[in-house]
Structures are given as structure tokens and as C-alpha cells.
């Protein structure tokens, strides 16, 4: 199985005539796993890849927004819904296994709203890389115990009157309990 170090070394040694190395989706998945393990020790993530995307799932623990914040760096493009068009980008693969944006044409030249950009090499040892991986998705399941613990913390924190009904039926200031639970997690309130 490939390691972060071997992926970086392979990329460094296999650049094309333009100085760009190509990463297969399975290699991007290895980098994603390593970043998640570092950011959220103790949480077991399932990281699956196909040519154009990475799907990350787990039970309990980190909120989807937190995980998305980590894995977004490994995307090589996206989709501009204003013109129904996918676009590509390249990233700098850093010696740590993390990535930063390198360049993209965006979609403005095609009447879209995604701006193009180009950045200089951020540090010595960084490798310019491309990949077909454009889409990142996250899915978290909650155990019944975790859900009830979060529900109780949310009700107490926001002073929500809770009659024990299903979370989507309990409203506070026009929003469902699920909304307030997600908000509490994003704020990092324990």
C-alpha cells in the first residue's frame, strides 16, 4: 500500500515535460486518510475513491463541516452550476502531504462565475500535481447514544423546550432541532 512519503516521491520523480505529476484517485485517497487521521485521531473514517471523487464516511465525532474543511484541499476542480460546467485545477503537493491551490482557468472565459488563478510554488520540495478527483463528499452517521448526548447539550445550551419528539419536529426560533445541533457542533461547544 502506498504511503504519503512514497506518493510524494513518486510525484516528484514522474513529472511530465510541463513539470506536472498526475495523481491517481487511490493516491489522493491515501493523502485524505492521512490528513483525517492527523486532524481527528481516534475517529475511524472510510475513504473511498473513484476517478472523479472521494467519499468519506464515519460514525459520531467530527461534524461534516469540519471534515469538509480538511478534505477540500485535495480537490482538483469543481462544478459551476451557473453554466452547467465542470472545471479543473492543479494543486501544490507539499512535503507534509497537504495541498494548496496552484492554478485553474476557472469558468469566467466560458461566461461562468469561477475565477481563474495561479500561485507560485509555496515552499521548497512542493510538487505541482493534477488529478481527475474534483468532488468530495462526506457522510456522518450518529449512534443513538451520541445523538441523545448532542440533543441534550443542544437543548440545554440554547434553552430549547424539548418534549422528546423527533428532532425535525422540535422548533426553536423557526429552525429545527437538527439545525441547532449542527450549529452547536460547528461552534465547538462541549
Amino acid at each position: 500500500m502506498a504511503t504519503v512519503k512514497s506518493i510524494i516521491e513518486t510525484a516528484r520523480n514522474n513529472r511530465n515535460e510541463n513539470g506536472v505529476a498526475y495523481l491517481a484517485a487511490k493516491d489522493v485517497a491515501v493523502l485524505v486518510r492521512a490528513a483525517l487521521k492527523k486532524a481527528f485521531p481516534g475517529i475511524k473514517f472510510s475513504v473511498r475513491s473513484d476517478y472523479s471523487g472521494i467519499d468519506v464516511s464515519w460514525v459520531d465525532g467530527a461534524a461534516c463541516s469540519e471534515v469538509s474543511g480538511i478534505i477540500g484541499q485535495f480537490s482538483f476542480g469543481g462544478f459551476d452550476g451557473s453554466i452547467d460546467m465542470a472545471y479543473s485545477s492543479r494543486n501544490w503537493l507539499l512535503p507534509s502531504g497537504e495541498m494548496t491551490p496552484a492554478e485553474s482557468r476557472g469558468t469566467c472565459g466560458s461566461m461562468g462565475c469561477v475565477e481563474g488563478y495561479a500561485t507560485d510554488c509555496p515552499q521548497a520540495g512542493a510538487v505541482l500535481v493534477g488529478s481527475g478527483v474534483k468532488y468530495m463528499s462526506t457522510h456522518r452517521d450518529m449512534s443513538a447514544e451520541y445523538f441523545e448526548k448532542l440533543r441534550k447539550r443542544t437543548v440545554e445550551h440554547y434553552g430549547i423546550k424539548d418534549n422528546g419528539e423527533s428532532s425535525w419536529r422540535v422548533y426553536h426560533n423557526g429552525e429545527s432541532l437538527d439545525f441547532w445541533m449542527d450549529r452547536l457542533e460547528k461552534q465547538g461547544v462541549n
Side-chain angles (χ1 to χ4, degrees):
M1 182 170 169
T3 64
V4 170
K5 186 177 180 179
S6 68
I7 291 168
I8 295 167
E9 198 58 37
T10 300
R12 186 171 289 120
N13 293 329
N14 291 306
R15 291 178 274 191
N16 65 20
E17 62 279 355
N18 297 322
V20 180
Y22 179 81
L23 295 180
K26 65 181 177 131
D27 292 333
V28 177
V30 169
L31 297 172
V32 167
R33 276 188 202 93
L36 290 172
K37 186 175 184 178
K38 181 179 175 185
F40 307 105
I43 298 176
K44 184 177 179 188
F45 291 94
S46 169
V47 179
R48 302 203 181 270
S49 63
D50 64 23
Y51 175 77
S52 64
I54 302 284
D55 180 57
V56 178
S57 58
W58 68 103
V59 177
D60 298 341
C64 287
S65 59
E66 294 175 305
V67 173
S68 293
I70 298 295
I71 68 173
Q73 66 184 301
F74 299 101
S75 175
F76 290 85
F79 187 79
D80 184 346
S82 70
I83 59 170
D84 197 28
M85 181 178 167
Y87 62 93
S88 297
S89 62
R90 292 181 179 153
N91 295 330
W92 293 106
L93 174 58
L94 306 177
S96 65
E98 297 173 317
M99 290 191 187
T100 61
E103 60 190 24
S104 176
R105 290 184 180 162
T107 60
C108 289
S110 299
M111 305 303 286
C113 62
V114 177
E115 295 285 335
Y117 60 87
T119 64
D120 292 329
C121 182
Q123 64 178 264
V127 181
L128 185 60
V129 292
S131 179
V133 175
K134 290 185 174 91
Y135 308 106
M136 302 286 174
S137 62
T138 60
H139 177 77
R140 177 181 70 169
D141 287 323
M142 283 192 211
S143 65
E145 298 82 20
Y146 186 87
F147 179 85
E148 284 307 315
K149 181 180 172 184
L150 179 58
R151 178 185 176 106
K152 184 177 181 179
R153 282 195 346 245
T154 302
V155 166
E156 290 172 3
H157 183 78
Y158 292 111
I160 299 171
K161 292 181 183 177
D162 181 17
N163 61 6
E165 292 181 16
S166 245
S167 65
W168 58 269
R169 298 175 75 189
V170 177
Y171 286 85
H172 177 70
N173 291 342
E175 298 290 349
S176 70
L177 183 58
D178 284 337
F179 169 84
W180 294 106
M181 289 167 63
D182 187 54
R183 184 173 178 185
L184 186 74
E185 281 195 309
K186 286 178 183 175
Q187 292 174 349
V189 176
N190 291 318

